[in-house]
Amino acid sequence: QPEDSGRYTIVANNGVGRPAKHEFDLEVELPESAPEITEIPRDATLTQGDDHLIEAEIKGVPKPNVYVTDKDGVFVGEGQIEEVDEETVRFSLDIPDLQPEDSGRYTITANNGVGRPATHEIYLEVEPLELAPQFTNVPRDLTLEEGDDHVIEAEIKGVPRPNVVVTDGNGDIVEGVSQIVKVDGETIRYSLEIPDIQVEEAGLYTITADNGVGKPASHKFDIGVEEPSELPPSVQPAQLGKALNIIRPLPAEIYITKGDDVDLSVKIEGTIESEDELSVTLYNSLRGLDTDLSKHLKWELSPVPNMPDQYELEATLPYPYSLNAGDLRLTIANEHGADDTETVLNIEEMGSEDPPFFDPAPSDIKSYPNNNIMLETRVRGSRPVKIDWFVTEPGSGTPQPIIEGDGDKYEIHINGSLTIKDVGEEDEGTYLVQVSNSAGSATEEAEIEVTQTAGLLLNTYCDELNYFVNVTDFNLK
């Protein structure tokens, strides 16, 4: 047996002179054996950001090499091997900071050149962190003609995947063919078809997304429905065309790494007889300076199945290009009219992270009661970024709890702006916005004053009389 290995001595003695001795070594090796996984790793369900340790024990002579591959056959990390005994090793591999895209089947393989390699498969499921629902693209107000077909569309972030419903002004759920398409691990695209819309269906609609995490997200939008226009006998319907309307606009913000192409996608509705009659323009604006990028833009148009006069327009601005971070405005037109959509482009340097900053910062506002107002700002810097709003009422000196966005009173926009609806004297105070990312943080303040009087400045100039009138601070009657 292997434990019999060692130094042996043979002795011969006949009483004459000194005994004769000879030493020799005896090495007893284990017989070769193919690898066998005796303790196997188990399937596991983990949360985004978790570390996970894969462990196994393997028997085999000689000692096997052990490695782990992912679902694509790619080697995963550098494992550690510890000897248990002469024919057994313990293997361990630590996989740090797992993400949802790391979910899948992993294979552990042991091979020592004897027989067939031993393999065992495990499945790791990495669940995203819980995220309250948030709209990244919402339906817009629009006016339709009686008998039109319409699709309500929205994009929503949330983990787990939120349930989405559309209700009318009476709170009743709108019936129709709905569809949910997964965009990524956190985002879905929701659509609801409303065929043959009628005048009595006009009104205020609400789309609500709820996944049980935080507060449900909701957005209100108005659909107007007009009766078909009376046409003179000389005008045939086939001769009429519909002006273009963008029914799924660009997202509020787009993030790319410097050197990436910019991909744009919208859905449009209207009459397109030929792509040659379609005009597509793209402007990049930074601090008031517009740059026309239309000549660099490559776009494709494809009809939406079973939806007359609806088209998907996919456009790419390839790198390199003369482009600044800032506003992008895409305009699409036919001979009957045009529509445009805007987004904010954020460009990050590869491998770098920038702390957040405001450009522009929110400004003080003086308003009458019952208005809807916006503390407008734009948060720049690397994403993801956390945006929180606080309010300090006059005489309090202490910031009140964080203002919840996407409610009936407040709406926090993706660019950091805050909308306050139906303002009153109770909304006066100092509003503080605080933003943070992995590289730093920033804060800004703005005052809101609600007044019953107007401070108006009237400038009137007459060429003949060279007359100037300055009227300020008078009560409205």
Side-chain angles (χ1 to χ4, degrees):
Q1 298 299 315
E3 57 268 23
D4 296 322
S5 298
R7 182 170 292 275
Y8 287 77
T9 303
I10 183 171
V11 180
N13 187 5
N14 64 356
V16 180
R18 298 176 66 182
K21 294 182 180 180
H22 175 73
E23 292 184 348
F24 60 96
D25 291 323
L26 188 63
E27 183 71 27
V28 182
E29 294 182 346
L30 288 169
E32 288 186 342
S33 61
E36 176 188 358
I37 302 176
T38 55
E39 289 187 14
I40 59 175
R42 303 293 183 184
D43 296 347
T45 300
L46 307 156
T47 302
Q48 182 177 354
D50 282 353
D51 301 339
H52 182 62
L53 184 66
I54 296 175
E55 291 184 300
E57 282 196 2
I58 304 102
K59 294 180 73 172
V61 180
K63 292 183 178 63
N65 295 317
V66 188
Y67 54 90
V68 176
T69 52
D70 64 14
K71 56 183 177 293
D72 299 318
V74 178
F75 287 95
V76 181
E78 185 73 26
Q80 303 293 321
I81 291 182
E82 176 187 352
E83 184 175 319
V84 177
D85 57 37
E86 292 181 331
E87 53 183 341
T88 307
V89 294
R90 179 177 291 113
F91 171 83
S92 61
L93 173 66
D94 186 39
I95 307 178
D97 191 28
L98 283 160
Q99 300 299 312
E101 56 267 24
D102 296 321
S103 296
R105 191 161 297 282
Y106 291 75
T107 303
I108 182 170
T109 302
N111 186 11
N112 65 355
V114 180
R116 301 178 62 182
T119 61
H120 177 74
E121 292 185 342
I122 61 171
Y123 192 87
L124 299 184
E125 178 72 25
V126 184
E127 297 180 341
L129 295 172
E130 287 190 337
L131 176 67
Q134 174 187 354
F135 286 100
T136 57
N137 203 342
V138 296
R140 299 196 299 176
D141 297 346
L142 80 165
T143 300
L144 304 170
E145 189 172 277
E146 188 174 39
D148 283 350
D149 298 331
H150 179 59
V151 179
I152 297 171
E153 291 188 306
E155 285 192 2
I156 309 105
K157 274 189 171 184
V159 180
R161 189 178 77 179
N163 295 316
V164 186
V165 295
V166 176
T167 52
D168 59 20
N170 298 320
D172 297 326
I173 294 178
V174 178
E175 301 294 338
V177 178
S178 63
Q179 185 179 20
I180 289 180
V181 177
K182 182 178 178 181
V183 177
D184 56 39
E186 297 180 347
T187 309
I188 59 171
R189 181 177 295 125
Y190 171 85
S191 62
L192 174 66
E193 296 181 14
I194 305 179
D196 190 27
I197 196 164
Q198 300 298 305
V199 171
E200 57 269 21
E201 295 178 273
L204 187 66
Y205 287 76
T206 303
I207 182 170
T208 303
D210 185 10
N211 65 354
V213 180
K215 297 178 65 175
S218 63
H219 174 76
K220 298 181 185 297
F221 58 100
D222 190 76
I223 296 180
V225 183
E226 298 178 345
E227 293 184 354
S229 57
E230 295 292 333
L231 301 176
S234 59
V235 180
Q236 301 299 319
Q239 296 175 296
L240 293 178
K242 293 171 62 176
L244 291 180
N245 179 39
I246 298 175
I247 58 177
R248 189 188 70 235
L250 295 173
E253 294 193 68
I254 295 175
Y255 302 93
I256 65 168
T257 301
K258 188 173 182 179
D260 289 348
D261 296 344
V262 181
D263 294 320
L264 307 173
S265 175
V266 297
K267 182 182 284 189
I268 58 178
E269 188 173 43
T271 301
I272 301 177
E273 299 294 340
S274 167
E275 290 188 14
D276 295 335
E277 300 175 1
L278 195 65
S279 169
V280 181
T281 57
L282 180 69
Y283 280 88
N284 177 212
S285 176
L286 181 65
R287 295 182 174 90
L289 180 64
D290 284 346
T291 302
D292 187 355
L293 301 172
S294 307
K295 64 181 180 181
H296 304 294
L297 196 66
K298 299 178 180 179
W299 55 270
E300 292 183 357
L301 191 71
S302 56
V304 178
N306 303 318
M307 298 302 293
D309 292 336
Q310 289 191 11
Y311 301 86
E312 293 277 359
L313 187 140
E314 306 286 342
T316 298
L317 186 64
Y319 184 83
Y321 42 75
S322 175
L323 184 65
N324 296 309
D327 295 336
L328 284 180
R329 184 174 71 255
L330 181 70
T331 303
I332 306 171
N334 63 6
E335 60 179 327
H336 307 289
D339 198 3
D340 60 28
T341 173
E342 294 186 354
T343 184
V344 177
L345 180 68
N346 297 275
I347 305 176
E348 298 182 353
E349 296 287 343
M350 186 175 297
S352 67
E353 290 192 355
D354 297 323
F357 63 97
F358 298 92
D359 180 22
S363 302
D364 297 344
I365 293 179
K366 180 182 288 187
S367 174
Y368 299 113
N370 307 120
N371 280 345
N372 293 343
I373 62 173
M374 177 186 287
L375 289 169
E376 188 170 0
T377 185
R378 181 164 293 148
V379 180
R380 310 282 189 178
S382 297
R383 261 49 180 181
V385 62
K386 187 173 186 290
I387 303 172
D388 294 318
W389 278 89
F390 302 80
V391 59
T392 303
E393 297 177 354
S396 168
T398 303
Q400 297 302 307
I402 296 174
I403 297 169
E404 297 288 349
D406 298 326
D408 294 334
K409 182 67 176 178
Y410 305 104
E411 181 179 358
I412 299 176
H413 301 269
I414 194 169
N415 65 359
S417 300
L418 174 68
T419 294
I420 307 174
K421 302 165 189 174
D422 192 24
V423 296
E425 292 183 357
E426 68 278 5
D427 295 310
E428 290 187 330
T430 302
Y431 286 74
L432 181 144
V433 57
Q434 184 177 74
V435 295
S436 60
N437 63 13
S438 58
S441 62
T443 59
E444 285 287 351
E445 292 184 353
E447 299 282 342
I448 290 181
E449 180 183 347
V450 181
T451 179
Q452 304 294 331
T453 61
L456 302 179
L457 178 64
L458 174 63
N459 297 322
T460 306
Y461 181 79
C462 176
D463 288 334
E464 291 79 10
L465 298 176
N466 192 21
Y467 181 68
F468 177 79
V469 180
N470 186 347
V471 182
T472 61
D473 294 326
F474 60 88
N475 290 329
L476 292 178
K477 300 297 183 181

